[in-house]
Amino acid sequence: TQLLEQSPQFLSIQEGENLTVYCNSSSVFSSLQWYRQEPGEGPVLLVTVVTGGEVKKLKRLTFQFGDARKDSSLHITAAQPGDTGLYLCAVSSNTGKLIFGQGTTLQVKP
Amino acid sequence: DAGVTQSPTHLIKTRGQQVTLRCSPKSGHDTVSWYQQALGQGPQFIFQYYEEEERQRGNFPDRFSGHQFPNYSSELNVNALLLGDSALYLCASSLPAGGSEQYFGPGTRLTVT
């Protein structure tokens, strides 16, 4: 069983639409990270959320950490083709080992 | 300032062979972690090296081994390759403290036929 369950696994939308990606777990975490990975590249850190209920914004991307620190969501407003990629949530152990969800593949069509 | 670099970018091997992948960390980083990523999936932690020692290991068989050199660069070796070892192998570097941001290289795409 996956520690972090992401949904949906695949999303194909038209440019300009809004979308939300979810990352759920039954465990409580001190922090949670979101990464984006483009084809041929490694994952790049987008944001780290730390406090329950925290909301962080990065341009058209809005990240929220659940009140109980067990889940998180990523909302994209007015998606662009440049948002296409694999979105990964992850948690870090105290030694720096990252545990990833299985990812959400997003395709934004012009 | 060069980021994390990996070589080669692509590699094709035959089942049963051995392979060595290489990683140079970001300048100033001394901790290197290796991950395996199947197509369309999240990366899976293989192991982490710090001060030339394996500090932590994920759920991978002994066929997977590694090494870290005094200049902090690292190698990942896989023996007796299986078809299921086909994946993108990612290297990430960081500072040793837990919670430090990990910077990923572009990966090596290994295909086992």
Side-chain angles (χ1 to χ4, degrees), chain A residues 7-56:
Chain A
S7 62
Q9 285 194 289
F10 185 80
L11 198 52
S12 180
I13 61 172
Q14 293 295 135
E15 182 177 359
E17 293 184 4
N18 301 332
L19 67 118
T20 303
V21 173
Y22 300 93
C23 177
N24 296 304
S25 178
S26 58
S27 300
V28 177
F29 304 111
S30 58
S31 66
L32 186 143
Q33 301 175 347
W34 283 94
Y35 290 80
R36 178 169 65 210
Q37 184 177 18
E38 299 183 20
E41 301 292 331
V44 175
L45 179 66
L46 296 174
V47 75
T48 301
V49 286
V50 177
T51 307
E54 180 179 8
V55 176
K56 281 191 173 180

Side-chain angles (χ1 to χ4, degrees), chain B residues 39-59:
Chain B
L39 197 62
Q41 298 294 313
Q44 298 288 316
F45 176 79
I46 303 175
F47 41 53
Q48 184 182 81
Y49 277 83
Y50 171 64
E51 292 188 339
E52 302 179 50
E53 295 286 331
E54 183 182 290
R55 185 161 77 162
Q56 193 174 7
R57 188 178 183 92
N59 188 25

Side-chain angles (χ1 to χ4, degrees), chain A residues 2 9 33 35 37 40-45 86 88 92-103 105, chain B residues 33 35 37 40-45 48 55-58 88 90 96-99 101-102 104-107:
Chain A
Q2 284 271 120
Q9 285 194 289
Q33 301 175 347
Y35 290 80
Q37 184 177 18
E41 301 292 331
V44 175
L45 179 66
L86 178 67
L88 297 156
S92 178
S93 72
N94 56 3
T95 58
K97 164 187 171 181
L98 286 171
I99 302 169
F100 288 89
Q102 71 270 49
T105 299
Chain B
S33 302
Y35 295 81
Q37 185 177 24
Q41 298 294 313
Q44 298 288 316
F45 176 79
Q48 184 182 81
R55 185 161 77 162
Q56 193 174 7
R57 188 178 183 92
L88 181 68
L90 294 163
E101 181 178 349
Q102 294 196 22
F104 285 84

Side-chain angles (χ1 to χ4, degrees), chain B residues 50-86:
Chain B
Y50 171 64
E51 292 188 339
E52 302 179 50
E53 295 286 331
E54 183 182 290
R55 185 161 77 162
Q56 193 174 7
R57 188 178 183 92
N59 188 25
F60 278 80
D62 292 344
R63 297 186 298 108
F64 288 76
S65 63
H67 188 77
Q68 186 179 35
F69 299 94
N71 67 353
Y72 309 124
S73 66
S74 177
E75 287 182 350
L76 164 64
N77 301 292
V78 187
N79 294 321
L81 284 167
L82 303 174
L83 297 180
D85 294 332
S86 295

